[in-house]
């Protein structure tokens, strides 16, 4: 079982990945879409709304254990994608989702059994979302090779 400080850090890191992600920023964005990319954009918006439920679960875990919430802000990089083409967004969203899954896997590995049991469904949903994003990228013929920044 992790100590309180470790559990607080792990849960807050997950809240940050869910609440301050590119997905969440895109809830307010208006990327370029066309007839082929519009259905993908609608799916991305649905995935972004799923983060709300994840944040609620993670926040409840903090509250139930009387752990401290650590506020943070969006990365300024997310603003660069506000009006981007959906095809350009997909590799970024996939990379972010992969990082989010890694954070969940680390938290599950270090959490006690009760917390891990509450995180497992969120991890599974994130894995499913990654599969949906990857399928959308393939559907649109988007290369998933990323150029390092």
């Amino acid at each position: 079982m992790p100590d309180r400080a470790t559990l607080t850090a792990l849960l807050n890191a997950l809240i940050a990945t869910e609440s301050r992600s590119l997905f969440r920023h895109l809830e307010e964005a208006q990327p370029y879409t066309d007839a082929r990319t519009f259905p993908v954009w609608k799916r991305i918006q649905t995935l972004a709304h799923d983060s709300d439920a994840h944040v609620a679960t993670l926040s409840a875990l903090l509250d139930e254990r009387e752990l401290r919430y650590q506020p943070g802000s969006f990365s300024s990089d997310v603003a660069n994608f506000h009006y981007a083409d959906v095809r350009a967004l997909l590799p970024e969203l996939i990379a972010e989702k992969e990082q989010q899954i890694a954070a969940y896997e680390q938290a599950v590995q270090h959490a006690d059994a009760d917390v891990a049991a509450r995180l497992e469904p969120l991890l599974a949903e994130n894995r499913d979302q990654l599969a949906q994003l990857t399928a959308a990228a393939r559907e649109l013929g988007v290369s998933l090779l990323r150029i390092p920044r």
Side-chain angles (χ1 to χ4, degrees):
M1 180 167 165
D3 60 71
R4 289 180 61 79
T6 301
L7 184 58
T8 300
L10 289 169
L11 292 175
N12 274 288
L14 293 175
I15 288 172
T17 68
E18 293 280 8
S19 67
R20 295 185 289 276
S21 66
L22 178 56
F23 273 101
R24 292 301 298 272
H25 178 76
L26 291 178
E27 287 182 312
E28 304 299 324
Q30 296 177 347
Y32 173 77
T33 59
D34 57 28
R36 285 193 69 213
T37 60
F38 185 74
V40 172
W41 171 239
K42 295 310 278 180
R43 280 186 265 164
I44 290 169
Q45 287 180 309
T46 300
L47 297 179
H49 290 296
D50 291 345
S51 290
D52 292 336
H54 294 183
V55 170
T57 299
L58 296 166
S59 295
L61 283 168
L62 281 175
D63 290 345
E64 290 164 12
R65 285 154 181 78
E66 298 179 353
L67 301 173
R68 186 175 170 192
Y69 175 72
Q70 298 166 343
S73 61
F74 279 95
S75 165
S76 60
D77 289 345
V78 298
N80 296 331
F81 299 102
H82 195 78
Y83 298 105
D85 187 294
V86 168
R87 290 172 188 89
L89 290 171
L90 281 168
E92 299 296 328
L93 291 168
I94 288 168
E96 183 178 85
K97 189 56 67 177
E98 290 170 339
Q99 292 172 352
Q100 194 172 57
I101 288 168
Y104 270 98
E105 289 170 341
Q106 179 183 13
V108 166
Q109 180 182 7
H110 292 93
D112 61 58
D114 178 52
V115 172
R118 302 263 303 269
L119 296 178
E120 285 287 351
L122 304 182
L123 174 58
E125 285 182 24
N126 278 292
R127 286 178 174 151
D128 180 62
Q129 291 173 352
L130 177 60
Q132 291 180 51
L133 291 168
T134 303
R138 287 190 183 114
E139 175 185 322
L140 296 175
V142 174
S143 171
L144 296 181
L145 296 177
R146 294 188 71 231
I147 299 169
R149 292 185 197 181

